[in-house]
């Protein structure tokens, strides 16, 4: 996010053990915000039964989306008119 919008501040973070009964977290959540108002959300989880990768960048006039499972990825760019 720093590469795209400059410095960011931590808005929220939480580590949780939601599913697996163990001494290590199975979910991590992080929210970041830039001075200009840009917002980023990261969620990493061990609770999905399938490996899922999803990356989105949403801007005022366009969106970039990358998704994949198990090394097979697709992407699309959408531009609003």
């Amino acid at each position: 996010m720093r590469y795209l919008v400059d410095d960011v501040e931590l808005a929220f973070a939480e580590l949780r053990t939601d599913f697996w009964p163990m001494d290590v977290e199975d979910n991590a959540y992080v929210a970041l915000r830039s001075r200009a108002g840009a917002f980023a959300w990261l969620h990493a989880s061990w609770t999905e039964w399938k490996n899922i990768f999803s990356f989105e960048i949403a801007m005022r006039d366009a969106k970039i989306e990358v998704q994949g499972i198990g090394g097979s990825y697709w992407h699309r760019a959408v531009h609003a008119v």
Side-chain angles (χ1 to χ4, degrees), residues 2-80:
R2 291 179 75 189
Y3 177 77
L4 296 171
V5 298
D6 207 3
D7 286 336
V8 295
E9 294 181 4
L10 180 64
F12 172 83
E14 187 166 339
L15 299 174
R16 299 175 52 100
T17 304
D18 291 325
F19 186 78
W20 302 105
M22 59 185 167
D23 293 332
V24 68
E25 299 84 9
D26 56 22
N27 279 272
Y29 304 88
V30 175
L32 304 171
R33 186 177 307 279
S34 74
R35 288 187 185 125
F39 183 79
W41 177 256
L42 169 70
H43 174 216
S45 172
W46 285 7
T47 57
E48 286 287 341
W49 292 105
K50 290 183 181 179
N51 292 332
I52 296 173
F53 175 82
S54 176
F55 179 77
E56 298 177 2
I57 299 175
M59 298 159 280
R60 187 184 67 227
D61 297 324
K63 175 182 174 183
I64 299 169
E65 180 178 341
V66 178
Q67 293 187 2
I69 298 175
S72 175
Y73 298 97
W74 65 272
H75 71 279
R76 71 178 173 180
V78 179
H79 178 70

